[in-house]
Amino acid sequence: MKPYLLQTLRELALLGATKNKIEVSSLELAKQLKTSQQTASRYLLELDHDGLITRELGIKKQIIQITTAGVDVLQEEYLGYQQIFDLTDEIHFTGRVISGIGEGRYYTEQNGYMSQFKDKLGFIPYPGTLNVEINYIERNKLRLLKDYNTITVEEFRDKNRTFGGVRCFNAEINGVKGAIVLPVRSHYSNILEFISPFYLREKLNLKDGDEVKVIIHLEKEN
């Protein structure tokens, strides 16, 4: 979202426009924004066009209220700052569903993993992982995980090979609970692998390219 529109939305919210209709002139708003009256009027037109506010034109003032979509924008901004300053117990990601190469199914079907998932996560995952591609820069958020408790699935060996350990974090995707799995011996990636007791593509009616929201729940180390 354009920074000047976010600032305008914030000023309107501070005037009470999230819960009530407010009366404001473009001149009054311009003083709040420290800009010209013409510019403030243009900002309101853009917000109205984008469906973030409703406007009713009066004789000297406009009656304005922030829409649900506008409140959602402010809430997202709030969550971002909360992550920075308040050390919240959640990390939020938005990404898109992509197909893997089938390795997730192979690994989740190994008895050594399944038994530990059941004991430590409380469920046996549906075979395979749901892969979510996040913006590449957002992989940096995963570095926050090093300061929090992890659920460790230990490495194990079968007749033919050794399977590496996995770090797990309780998570949810579009409100459905499960876990994010991160191989211990790997670099941070922009692909999140999500496991769940459900076949998520069917349960959430997902296909490749669909946008999803992932929340990783954290527990601070003592």
Side-chain angles (χ1 to χ4, degrees):
M1 185 178 188
K2 297 174 182 175
Y4 62 84
L5 291 183
L6 184 60
Q7 181 190 5
T8 305
L9 203 61
R10 175 181 175 276
E11 292 297 333
L12 293 171
L14 289 172
L15 293 171
T18 56
K19 295 184 178 179
N20 301 287
K21 293 181 178 180
I22 63 169
E23 287 187 337
V24 64
S25 68
S26 55
L27 179 59
E28 290 170 334
L29 183 60
K31 290 179 180 178
Q32 292 291 111
L33 297 173
K34 295 180 173 57
T35 189
S36 69
Q37 182 177 358
Q38 291 79 8
T39 298
S41 182
R42 178 168 59 84
Y43 291 174
L44 290 174
L45 284 171
E46 286 191 52
L47 288 171
D48 189 13
H49 179 268
D50 292 344
L52 302 177
I53 64 170
T54 59
R55 294 190 308 144
E56 300 173 29
L57 302 180
I59 298 175
K60 293 184 178 181
K61 297 189 177 185
Q62 302 178 54
I63 300 172
I64 294 173
Q65 185 166 20
I66 297 174
T67 64
T68 300
V71 171
D72 288 344
V73 168
L74 291 170
Q75 180 71 20
E76 192 69 25
E77 187 73 5
Y78 166 73
L79 288 173
Y81 279 109
Q82 193 177 41
Q83 291 265 332
I84 295 171
F85 295 111
D86 293 347
L87 295 176
T88 63
D89 56 359
E90 296 178 350
I91 303 178
H92 293 246
F93 297 90
T94 299
R96 297 191 179 278
V97 174
I98 63 170
S99 291
I101 58 175
E103 285 188 342
R105 184 182 186 93
Y106 170 72
Y107 286 108
T108 54
E109 288 183 327
Q110 299 301 314
N111 288 331
Y113 284 131
M114 284 198 299
S115 60
Q116 291 189 71
F117 286 145
K118 182 178 180 181
D119 290 342
K120 299 180 179 183
L121 296 176
F123 65 86
I124 295 175
Y126 183 89
T129 60
L130 183 71
N131 295 334
V132 177
E133 183 178 37
I134 59 175
N135 289 333
Y136 193 71
I137 195 171
E138 283 206 313
R139 77 194 190 285
N140 288 291
K141 291 183 182 179
L142 295 173
R143 300 180 189 278
L144 296 170
L145 299 178
K146 64 182 173 57
D147 296 324
Y148 291 85
N149 287 325
T150 182
I151 302 168
T152 302
V153 172
E154 304 292 345
E155 72 174 24
F156 63 93
R157 185 172 182 82
D158 68 5
K159 295 179 181 179
N160 302 312
R161 58 167 291 186
T162 297
F163 292 84
V166 176
R167 293 180 299 145
C168 305
F169 293 88
N170 289 316
E172 59 184 86
I173 183 167
N174 286 7
V176 176
K177 293 182 178 179
I180 293 292
V181 293
L182 302 169
V184 170
R185 297 175 185 172
S186 71
H187 298 291
Y188 295 110
S189 167
N190 67 319
I191 307 298
L192 301 180
E193 294 187 77
F194 195 93
I195 60 173
S196 166
F198 308 104
Y199 178 35
L200 291 169
R201 284 180 178 262
E202 180 178 281
K203 185 174 181 65
L204 295 173
N205 191 28
L206 296 174
K207 61 183 183 301
D208 282 1
D210 284 349
E211 185 176 277
V212 292
K213 293 187 180 299
V214 176
I215 302 174
I216 298 180
H217 299 286
L218 306 172
E219 182 181 338
K220 192 70 176 179
E221 290 184 342
N222 297 323

